[in-house]
Each structure stands twice: as structure tokens, then as C-alpha cells.
Amino acid sequence: MNTPRRNWTREETILAFELYCRTPFGRIGKSNPDIIRLAELIGRTPDAVAFKMCNLAHCDPVHQARNVSGLAHGSKTDKEVFEEFSQSWDELAMNAQEILARMTNKTLLEVVEETLKTPEGSDLPGLDSFPAGDIREQVIKTRVGQDFFRKAVLANYGNACCITGIAEPRLLIASHIKPWAVSNDRTEKLNPRNGLCLNALHDRAFDQGLITVDPEDHRIIISRQLAEVPMEQETRDWLMHFKDQKIAKPGSFLPDPDFLEYHNEHIFLK
């Protein structure tokens, strides 16, 4: 006797989309440990979760442009979730944590603490050190958002610097294209299209306007101020080697040209 097909709920779809955002596209498969864990949590097979994530990918303009086959079977809920949270990235990050808390019968604080157990966050004060109330809620939301943005941006570039290809996580930073301080909370701060995966040196150079990326063809542009800095010839040769080369193409979320335009106009030192 066949088991009746069980439709995906909105909450399950949100969890699948959040996981899609922080998973390199090439690693969406039944053997991925994160996919296995989500499958166990919601009572589905890893194959089913991976297939759902591929259906969500069909809503992604990057994959639509590539005409990726086998991704055109998404549901109405898939499209609604993709479109809703693509305009509200902060809500996606927090909703996923709140859903996990309900499904595991844990407090939100417990779930978030487990999520943030990473080497990068080991030196941060525990969330329970903040008094309960608005302050703790804001700290939780900020930490969850920052963690989501880092994971999403690094995954989008295959966990490697999009300029140099360096693939050591301890040297990689999820760099905002349009700075955090001037970005909109809902649509820009945590938007994977507002991020580049850069090694620490190029992150600093990008942040200080010493390099930028062309909004149209994604070429790396080096400021004259950096080109004229005194340095060893070997170092100069290495830095200038990347001039006019294109950044690595992301797996899902292309850099938004509006964000790159902002960086070119307001941050880059011509």
C-alpha cells in the first residue's frame, strides 16, 4: 500500500529556503549533513528535502537564466516563500530559528545558542548574559542575522574568496557591498546579493574603497591610491595580477548592480 503524499507546509518550506540560502548549489544532495538533519527534523527523506531545495532554486533568477533542467516543479508555496523573504531577509533568518524552536520543543534562546556555536563566535558573550527583554531580543536578532548573512555569502561563492580563490574559512569575510550602516534592515542588510566573499586583505581594501567591482561585467577595479602605495615588487605583482579580472561567479545570488553602483559612487577612491 502506497503512503499518501504529504504536502509541504509553509513552515517546512521556510526551513528549506533558509537552508538553500546557506548551501552551495553544488552541495544540494541527499548526502549533505545539513539536509539529512533537516529531513530527520521534519520527517522526510533527504532526497525529498534536496528536491524541495532544487524547486526553490527554480524561483532564483540565476538558475532561471541558466535554464537548469529538472527544477520546474515547484509549488505555489515555494514561489510565495521565495518572493516574500527575498524582500525581508531579516524575517527569514529569525523565522527559521523560531520554527526550529517550536519543532524541537526548545526555547528560542537555546536554539540560537546552538546555531551560533562556531569558532568565529566563540569569543562573544553568551546571549543569556544580556537581560531578558528588548535588549536581549535585539541582540539575538542581530546575531542571527549576521550568522545567516555570513553563511549565505560564503556558500554563494563556494566558501572561497571571489577574487583570489582562497578557501580557508578563518581568512574569509562576508563583505557588505553597500555598507551595513546605510543599508535597509529588511531588504539590504542581510541580502546575499549585497555580499561578496573576500579574504581579510581584500575585504579591508574593498571596505576602504581601494578596490571595487564593476556593476556590469564584475571586473575588479583597483584604485590609483592603492596602486601607488610603496610595497615589495612581489606584493605589487600579486595585487595587480587581479586588476581587470572578473570575480568568481556566485552559485545563486548575483551581486545586485545597484549595490555595486553605490560602492563605485560613494566608497571607491577613484
Side-chain angles (χ1 to χ4, degrees):
M1 183 175 178
N2 292 331
T3 302
R5 179 180 177 182
R6 178 163 63 92
N7 290 332
W8 280 71
T9 67
R10 172 180 162 83
E11 288 196 338
E12 291 172 342
T13 305
I14 290 172
L15 291 179
F17 181 45
E18 192 270 345
L19 182 56
Y20 165 78
C21 291
R22 55 182 177 84
T23 302
F25 188 72
R27 293 195 59 212
I28 296 178
K30 63 182 180 180
S31 61
N32 184 311
D34 291 330
I35 290 176
I36 293 172
R37 280 192 289 271
L38 178 56
E40 292 174 347
L41 176 65
I42 62 178
R44 296 184 182 274
T45 66
D47 265 332
V49 174
F51 191 71
K52 172 59 67 173
M53 291 168 68
C54 286
N55 286 341
L56 287 161
H58 182 67
C59 303
D60 190 327
V62 171
H63 298 298
Q64 289 177 354
R66 291 172 56 205
N67 292 317
V68 175
S69 61
L71 302 177
H73 306 290
S75 68
K76 179 181 178 182
T77 302
D78 295 343
K79 183 177 181 181
E80 289 175 347
V81 166
F82 194 102
E83 291 181 350
E84 175 184 348
F85 290 105
S86 291
Q87 297 300 317
S88 186
W89 295 100
D90 59 330
E91 293 299 323
L92 172 63
M94 278 304 298
N95 276 12
Q97 297 300 308
E98 291 165 352
I99 292 168
L100 286 174
R102 288 194 294 271
M103 287 187 172
T104 56
N105 295 313
K106 295 179 180 179
T107 66
L108 178 61
L109 184 62
E110 290 173 330
V111 169
V112 172
E113 288 279 18
E114 290 175 4
T115 299
L116 299 181
K117 282 182 180 177
T118 61
E120 302 90 48
S122 59
D123 60 343
L124 296 173
L127 294 172
D128 57 0
S129 66
F130 296 91
D134 292 344
I135 294 178
R136 181 187 290 178
E137 289 180 8
Q138 186 56 48
V139 172
I140 288 175
K141 187 172 184 178
T142 299
R143 293 263 188 94
V144 168
Q146 291 171 339
D147 181 71
F148 168 80
F149 182 76
R150 173 179 168 79
K151 289 176 178 175
V153 172
L154 266 62
N156 196 32
Y157 288 93
N159 295 302
C161 171
C162 67
I163 292 179
T164 64
I166 291 174
E168 169 51 67
R170 290 169 293 186
L171 294 177
L172 299 179
I173 295 172
S175 302
H176 278 84
I177 301 172
K178 183 177 180 180
W180 171 278
V182 295
S183 292
N184 178 276
D185 287 345
R186 293 176 62 84
T187 61
E188 298 179 344
K189 281 188 175 178
L190 306 184
N191 189 339
R193 299 190 68 194
N194 190 24
L196 297 174
C197 179
L198 297 173
N199 70 78
L201 175 62
H202 281 91
D203 165 73
R204 183 65 174 172
F206 188 79
D207 181 65
Q208 295 298 309
L210 295 171
I211 62 173
T212 194
V213 175
D214 186 274
E216 295 184 2
D217 60 12
H218 298 163
R219 286 182 305 106
I220 299 159
I221 303 171
I222 297 178
S223 169
R224 184 170 54 198
Q225 293 191 30
L226 177 59
E228 294 176 351
V229 170
M231 63 185 79
E232 294 290 334
Q233 188 60 45
E234 291 83 355
T235 304
R236 184 180 305 282
D237 291 342
W238 181 73
L239 283 173
M240 298 308 293
H241 166 74
F242 301 106
K243 181 181 179 182
D244 292 329
Q245 291 196 23
K246 294 184 179 182
I247 63 171
K249 189 173 182 179
S252 295
F253 303 100
L254 287 172
D256 191 308
D258 288 341
F259 297 145
L260 290 173
E261 286 280 6
Y262 184 95
H263 190 273
N264 273 248
E265 293 298 320
H266 301 282
I267 309 298
F268 183 59
L269 302 172
K270 297 178 176 64

